[in-house]
Amino acid sequence: MIFLFRILLTGILVVLLSKFLPGVTVAGYLTAVIVALVLALLNLIIKPILVLFTLPVTILTLGLFLFVINAIIILLADAFVGGFEVSGFWVALLFSILLSVFQSVVFSLIERD
C-alpha cells in the first residue's frame, strides 16, 4: 500500500516538474504514474548494476557520478515510456536532482504522520 502511495506521489511530482522545467514533457497524469513506476523498476534493477560497473569512477568523484547514473535512469525511462520526453542529458540531470530532492522532502513529511 505504501509503495502505491509513493508511486502516486512521485507521479504528481513528475507532473509538477514537467510544468516548471523546460525540456521535460508529460502527456498526462496516467503517463506520469507510469513514469514513476518505470523509474522505480529501473532503480530496482538497472541502477545497482550501473553502480557496480562504475564503482571506481564513483569513488574517484566522491559519489558525484551517481548524479550521472540518475540522469541515465531518467533517459532510459524516456526511452521506455511514450508520452514522456526529456530533451537532453543536462535536463535529465537537473530533473533527477530536483525529483530526488522533492521526493525526500515529501516522503519525510509523510513518514512523520
Side-chain angles (χ1 to χ4, degrees):
M1 187 68 180
I2 283 279
F3 176 73
L4 291 175
F5 189 63
R6 285 180 176 235
I7 293 295
L8 290 175
L9 284 176
T10 302
I12 292 170
L13 290 173
V14 166
V15 168
L16 290 175
L17 283 174
S18 72
K19 299 284 185 198
F20 295 109
L21 194 62
V24 177
T25 56
V26 178
Y29 293 107
L30 181 62
T31 304
V33 172
I34 293 170
V35 167
L37 186 60
V38 167
L39 284 175
L41 289 173
L42 288 173
N43 281 330
L44 180 70
I45 298 168
I46 302 296
K47 188 173 181 178
I49 296 169
L50 288 176
V51 169
L52 184 65
F53 285 145
T54 62
L55 193 59
V57 176
T58 304
I59 291 171
L60 207 65
T61 61
L62 302 175
L64 292 177
F65 194 74
L66 292 174
F67 290 124
V68 173
I69 292 173
N70 285 340
I72 291 170
I73 295 293
I74 296 293
L75 291 172
L76 282 172
D78 174 24
F80 289 139
V81 179
F84 176 63
E85 300 292 327
V86 180
S87 64
F89 174 78
W90 295 107
V91 175
L93 183 68
L94 182 61
F95 180 80
S96 70
I97 291 170
L98 291 174
L99 184 63
S100 297
V101 168
F102 289 144
Q103 278 180 329
S104 297
V105 169
V106 170
F107 293 162
S108 69
L109 290 175
I110 290 174
E111 292 296 323
R112 287 186 184 170
D113 293 338

